[in-house]
């Protein structure tokens, strides 16, 4: 029988996982949709800023492709702790967008920073929960001790 604390911990972990998977879907969809003028969920003002706004679009497309390969690699290898590094990088991108905006004197959609912060925090939370709540490690260590 599970105790109340372990049940609430399991529910919390499931909520973090669901939020993480939603952030992956949103990041990939947002990146791929930013490639087109009509489907983008962010405003890029390409008529006013030209190539500088298109650089942001391409950054989001590359970010979506990177997320796809990161997910494939992490889930097949079982090393989900790399999502903490990806989350930290996404959080750093929010500050980099502000610097990009200031240097190039262009207006960046504020929803883009919120979007990247959400994805970054979701990745960090998932990576931390995967590292902190990993339960299969002691079983592996005891198997190796018995066979020695």
């Amino acid at each position: 029988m599970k105790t109340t604390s372990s049940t609430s911990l399991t529910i919390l972990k499931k909520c973090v996982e669901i939020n993480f998977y939603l952030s992956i879907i949103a990041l990939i969809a947002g990146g791929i949709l930013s490639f087109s003028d009509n489907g983008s969920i962010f405003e890029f003002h390409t008529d006013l800023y030209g190539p500088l706004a298109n650089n942001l679009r391409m950054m989001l497309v590359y970010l979506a492709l990177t997320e796809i390969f990161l997910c494939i690699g992490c889930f097949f290898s079982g090393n989900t702790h790399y999502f903490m590094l990806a989350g930290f990088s996404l959080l750093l991108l929010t500050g980099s967008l502000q610097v990009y905006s200031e240097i190039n004197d262009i207006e960046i959609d504020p929803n883009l920073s919120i979007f990247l912060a959400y994805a970054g925090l979701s990745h960090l939370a998932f990576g931390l929960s995967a590292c902190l709540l990993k339960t299969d490690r002691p079983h592996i260590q005891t198997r190796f001790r018995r066979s020695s």
Side-chain angles (χ1 to χ4, degrees), residues 33 93-94 105 123 140:
L33 287 174
L93 270 178
T94 60
D105 195 31
H123 281 64
I140 293 171

Side-chain angles (χ1 to χ4, degrees), residues 24-126:
I24 287 176
I25 292 168
L27 190 64
I28 293 171
I32 292 172
L33 287 174
S34 70
F35 195 66
S36 72
D37 288 330
N38 299 332
S40 180
I41 55 177
F42 305 110
E43 292 183 30
F44 290 106
H45 304 292
T46 54
D47 53 336
L48 183 60
Y49 299 114
L52 292 175
N54 285 332
N55 288 345
L56 286 175
R57 285 182 175 203
M58 289 310 297
M59 178 201 72
L60 286 173
V61 170
Y62 290 140
L63 194 61
L65 291 173
T66 303
E67 185 72 17
I68 291 169
F69 290 122
L70 177 71
C71 290
I72 290 170
C74 286
F75 288 126
F76 280 132
S77 69
N79 294 326
T80 55
H81 60 275
Y82 290 117
F83 286 117
M84 286 187 297
L85 182 60
F88 185 65
S89 299
L90 288 168
L91 286 175
L92 288 177
L93 270 178
T94 60
S96 299
L97 280 177
Q98 299 305 316
V99 172
Y100 185 80
S101 173
E102 293 286 325
I103 288 174
N104 294 308
D105 195 31
I106 65 171
E107 182 183 337
I108 295 178
D109 189 359
N111 293 329
L112 188 57
S113 292
I114 294 169
F115 175 73
L116 291 174
Y118 162 70
L121 290 173
S122 296
H123 281 64
L124 271 173
F126 180 77

